[in-house]
Amino acid sequence: MINLIWVLMIVIGIVFAMINGTMDEVNKAIFQGAGEAVTLCIGFISILVFWLGLMRIAQASGLLDKLANVFRPIIKKIFPDIPDDHPVMGYILSNMIANMFGLGNAATPLGIKAMEELKELNGGKSEASRSMITFLVINTASITIIPTTVLSIRMNYDSASPAEIVLPTIIASVFATVCAIFIDRFMYNRKKRNRVK
């Protein structure tokens, strides 16, 4: 569906430009945008390689395991349906830690693997389980301590103070995550009450 929306937007834009006689401007924007995209990607690569390298060092030193152990009791309360010491807990914790450091590219495969394990726990049903919904909500809101991607964009566009976004990001992401958990619990309890009726 998203692909269809993008194609429609491009086609409508080109047809509109042909009707208005602004095809030269559209061509210029296409090539300029492509050039900026490549420059931006190269800037992203340097920042992501740095943070992914730090994550690898943290993993090798055992720091990620210690962080996971700190968060494990909290995660157990958030996901009461998941059995103790199930492999999915490791994927969920790793996903959350990667998101905390703004490493969405590293968090995505972990999140997909966590969802696969949660689906297996759900018996392969097509309807999402409580844990799957909760994980999706938390993953979407995700507490972020270091917004790597935003920092990279701000540095690439010569921001006077690229790191000034860190504190507002922490506050906003903590607030979003807390609200997401409360809404998730509210909706789950409401659905549970409706089933009882």
Side-chain angles (χ1 to χ4, degrees):
M1 186 64 179
I2 292 173
N3 290 339
L4 180 63
I5 291 168
W6 278 110
V7 168
L8 283 172
M9 287 173 56
I10 291 167
V11 169
I12 290 167
I14 290 172
V15 169
F16 189 76
M18 289 167 72
I19 292 167
N20 284 338
T22 55
M23 270 313 281
D24 288 340
E25 291 173 29
V26 170
N27 286 333
K28 184 180 174 186
I30 288 170
F31 289 110
Q32 188 177 350
E36 284 182 15
V38 169
T39 305
L40 196 61
C41 286
I42 291 169
F44 277 155
I45 289 169
S46 61
I47 299 292
L48 286 172
V49 165
F50 172 74
W51 284 108
L52 287 170
L54 282 182
M55 281 284 283
R56 181 68 72 168
I57 292 167
Q59 183 181 23
S61 68
L63 181 61
L64 284 185
D65 292 333
K66 287 175 184 167
L67 274 172
N69 288 334
V70 168
F71 290 111
R72 193 172 293 275
I74 299 165
I75 296 303
K76 189 63 194 144
K77 287 197 183 302
I78 294 171
F79 297 96
D81 299 345
I82 298 176
D84 290 332
D85 298 325
H86 192 279
V88 74
M89 289 299 251
Y91 292 121
I92 290 171
L93 288 162
S94 298
N95 172 271
M96 290 176 72
I97 291 167
N99 275 327
M100 281 183 188
F101 292 104
L103 300 171
N105 292 342
T108 300
L110 296 166
I112 291 168
K113 189 66 180 162
M115 271 299 187
E116 287 172 357
E117 293 283 335
L118 288 170
K119 186 172 182 178
E120 194 177 305
L121 269 176
N122 194 29
K125 296 176 192 169
S126 57
E127 186 180 335
S129 68
R130 175 187 181 183
S131 296
M132 290 170 82
I133 294 167
T134 302
F135 177 65
L136 183 63
V137 165
I138 290 172
N139 192 42
T140 303
S142 77
I143 294 173
T144 305
I145 297 169
I146 302 164
T148 309
T149 305
V150 178
L151 284 172
S152 176
I153 291 169
R154 289 172 64 89
M155 282 192 269
N156 280 334
Y157 286 100
D158 300 321
S159 170
S161 180
E164 71 184 4
I165 194 76
V166 172
L167 183 61
T169 300
I170 293 169
I171 293 167
S173 63
V174 167
F175 183 73
T177 304
V178 169
C179 287
I181 291 169
F182 276 116
I183 292 167
D184 174 61
R185 287 297 180 258
F186 171 76
M187 295 303 286
Y188 172 75
N189 289 327
R190 192 172 99 174
K191 187 176 178 183
K192 197 174 170 184
R193 280 195 304 270
N194 289 341
R195 280 184 180 168
V196 171
K197 291 176 185 177

